[in-house]
């Protein structure tokens, strides 16, 4: 990233792309309320409409299917509450913004790689005739593991269930296509791929049922009341256009994993047996708690995270790794490294050097302890 630090925590938030910054600065300078009929309002409306087309193009949707929200969390909340389904099925590895929005949901278990068990989903779907929403994420925020969304849609359709997919970690990194996937609802968040934080979208396919709980003006086609965040939306649009080609970082991931396995042959890469995003590595340093690693790497100028950063600094055992059946002691040593649009091989080399240094220090002190004992 730069000489001062290597930022490898893009799944927490990705630095703002210059094109997004420029689009936001222009929108902020121009001002205007998109609902006003005068020229200032019309110019703001034009910005919002242009960004709506850019975001729609990123995920193969129609502009009219995009509902701008304050981010991925609100998009997930709106999807869970907006379908009118009495029954909700969610995977065991969903983000808290899905899990907590559906506290009574029935849980679809995952296997040791974190991939949902399709047979279990099939049984859950067959168990009730109540209108059902299935919510399964596109890619996991901690491991990068991809879910078999096409299979989820096939099984759901067979029983008339609706499907929501939290694509917050997939969009802009891998190819995400609303109609190709066949889902009814898709959640997006700009700050995961170089747009600003505080802006996202719920994509509602065609005529999929959707009843909003937002009361107020008729913004977003009566689906999300409140004056639009024009600058955020403009930045989201610009970042979406820039991210359309996806991320080409799998070679960096492979280099990193190979190097860390050479340093410590007993490392475990979580989800390695399943298809994964090219930008995410979730790996254990045996015997060293993740917080210790994060702090040591930070001192060496490398920014990474332990488990899900969304729980604001709180380090609790990862529910994702727990659902995958990972031994608690191993899960507590899991580090998440995630690349993005501005990651370079120097960042990876810096991380490898710092990780080697920490591993050597820890193991030498272990030997020293053993010898002293
Ligand atoms: N869904 C997933 C998979 C995430 O990783 C996150 C954030 O980390 C969210 C939803 C929430 O998105 P936002 O930060 O835009 O509210």
């Amino acid at each position: 990233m730069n000489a001062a630090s290597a930022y490898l925590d893009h799944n927490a938030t990705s630095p703002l792309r210059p094109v997004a910054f420029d689009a936001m600065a222009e929108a902020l300078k121009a001002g205007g309320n998109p609902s006003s009929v005068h020229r200032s309002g019309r110019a703001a409306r034009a910005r919002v409409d242009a960004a709506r087309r850019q975001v729609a193009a990123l995920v193969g949707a129609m502009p009219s299917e995009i509902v701008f929200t304050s981010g991925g969390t609100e998009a997930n909340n709106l999807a869970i509450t907006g379908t009118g389904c009495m029954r909700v099925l969610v995977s065991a590895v969903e983000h808290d913004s899905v899990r907590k929005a559906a506290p009574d949901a029935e849980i679809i278990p995952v296997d040791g790689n974190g991939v949902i068990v399709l047979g279990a989903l099939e049984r859950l779907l067959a168990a009730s005739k109540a209108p059902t929403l299935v919510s399964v994420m596109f890619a996991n925020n901690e491991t990068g593991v991809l879910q078999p969304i096409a299979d989820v849609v096939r099984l759901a359709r067979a029983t008339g269930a609706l499907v929501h997919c939290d694509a917050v970690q997939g969009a802009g990194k891998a190819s995400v296509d609303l109609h190709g996937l066949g889902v009814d609802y898709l959640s997006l968040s700009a700050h995961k791929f170089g747009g600003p934080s505080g802006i996202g979208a719920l994509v509602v396919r065609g005529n999929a049922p959707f009843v909003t709980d937002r009361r107020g003006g008729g913004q977003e086609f009566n689906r999300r009341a409140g004056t639009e965040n024009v600058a955020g939306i403009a930045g989201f649009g610009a970042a979406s256009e820039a991210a359309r080609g996806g991320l080409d970082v799998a070679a960096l991931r492979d280099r990193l994993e190979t190097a860390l396995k050479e340093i410590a042959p007993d490392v475990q890469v979580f989800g390695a047996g399943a298809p994964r995003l090219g930008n995410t590595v979730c790996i254990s340093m045996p015997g060293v708690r993740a917080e210790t690693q994060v702090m040591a790497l930070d001192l060496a100028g490398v920014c990474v995270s332990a488990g899900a950063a969304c729980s604001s600094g709180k380090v609790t055992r990862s529910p994702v790794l727990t659902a995958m059946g990972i031994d608690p002691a191993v899960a507590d040593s899991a580090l998440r490294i995630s690349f993005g649009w501005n990651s370079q091989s120097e960042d990876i080399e810096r991380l490898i050097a710092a990780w080697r240094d920490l591993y050597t220090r820890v193991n030498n002190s272990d030997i020293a302890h053993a010898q002293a004992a």
Side-chain angles (χ1 to χ4, degrees):
M1 182 191 179
N2 61 46
S5 65
Y7 185 84
L8 295 172
D9 201 10
H10 287 254
N11 286 9
T13 197
S14 198
L16 194 64
R17 293 177 188 257
V19 285
F21 178 91
D22 291 346
M24 294 178 76
E26 265 178 47
L28 285 170
K29 254 187 273 161
N33 183 330
S35 297
S36 302
V37 292
H38 49 60
R39 69 189 60 195
S40 166
R42 291 199 304 275
R45 166 65 53 209
R47 269 181 223 286
V48 170
D49 288 346
R52 195 184 302 284
R53 288 192 291 274
Q54 290 169 310
V55 173
L58 178 68
V59 293
M62 302 290 291
S64 58
E65 293 172 318
I66 304 293
V67 180
F68 287 118
T69 65
S70 64
T73 297
E74 186 187 353
N76 284 341
N77 275 250
L78 284 179
I80 297 290
T81 57
T83 67
C85 290
M86 300 301 291
R87 186 171 180 243
V88 183
L89 309 180
V90 306
S91 91
V93 293
E94 294 303 309
H95 188 261
D96 269 357
S97 52
V98 167
R99 291 290 297 266
K100 291 186 179 170
D104 301 324
E106 292 161 66
I107 306 299
I108 312 159
V110 296
D111 65 16
N113 281 305
V115 178
I116 62 159
V117 180
L118 287 169
L121 171 60
E122 203 171 2
R123 283 190 291 281
L124 283 166
L125 283 166
S128 165
K129 296 222 178 316
T132 300
L133 173 71
V134 181
S135 182
V136 176
M137 70 204 320
F138 186 89
N140 187 263
N141 41 308
E142 292 183 43
T143 60
V145 166
L146 302 172
Q147 296 295 345
I149 301 298
D151 291 324
V152 171
V153 171
R154 180 177 50 79
L155 294 175
R157 290 285 172 261
T159 61
L162 294 165
V163 180
H164 164 244
C165 179
D166 173 356
V168 162
Q169 292 291 352
K173 296 173 181 163
S175 164
V176 174
D177 186 283
L178 175 79
H179 294 278
L181 290 170
V183 300
D184 301 289
Y185 314 92
L186 203 62
S187 297
L188 306 175
S189 176
H191 74 110
K192 304 296 186 181
F193 58 90
S197 52
I199 187 77
L202 177 65
V203 190
V204 181
R205 187 179 58 82
N207 293 328
F210 180 70
V211 181
T212 188
D213 61 0
R214 301 296 125 120
R215 308 276 172 254
Q219 290 92 347
E220 294 302 287
F221 319 105
N222 290 315
R223 292 182 289 191
R224 201 268 188 170
T227 301
E228 296 88 340
N229 171 2
V230 181
I233 289 171
F236 186 10
S240 298
E241 184 155 329
R244 221 183 287 171
L247 274 182
D248 185 14
V249 290
L252 295 182
R253 179 195 67 186
D254 295 344
R255 156 80 187 126
L256 176 66
E257 289 184 4
T258 305
L260 298 190
K261 281 181 196 158
E262 272 168 22
I263 298 167
D266 50 347
V267 293
Q268 199 172 332
V269 177
F270 304 106
R276 281 180 294 154
L277 287 175
N279 87 313
T280 307
V281 177
C282 188
I283 194 162
S284 65
M285 182 187 281
V288 187
R289 287 185 68 86
E291 310 88 283
T292 311
Q293 296 180 58
V294 169
M295 283 187 288
L297 294 174
D298 186 31
L299 287 174
V302 180
C303 303
V304 295
S305 80
C310 290
S311 38
S312 37
K314 246 190 316 132
V315 184
T316 47
R317 181 161 303 139
S318 156
V320 172
L321 299 181
T322 303
M324 288 163 64
I326 306 296
D327 180 81
V330 177
D332 287 348
S333 74
L335 203 64
R336 178 185 69 181
I337 301 149
S338 49
F339 319 127
W341 64 272
N342 64 350
S343 298
Q344 292 170 5
S345 53
E346 300 89 83
D347 301 322
I348 310 306
E349 298 310 322
R350 189 165 178 161
L351 167 62
I352 294 168
W355 204 86
R356 178 187 288 110
D357 186 44
L358 174 64
Y359 184 76
T360 310
R361 275 189 285 138
V362 167
N363 282 283
N364 284 345
S365 65
D366 272 1
I367 292 165
H369 287 316
Q371 282 169 349

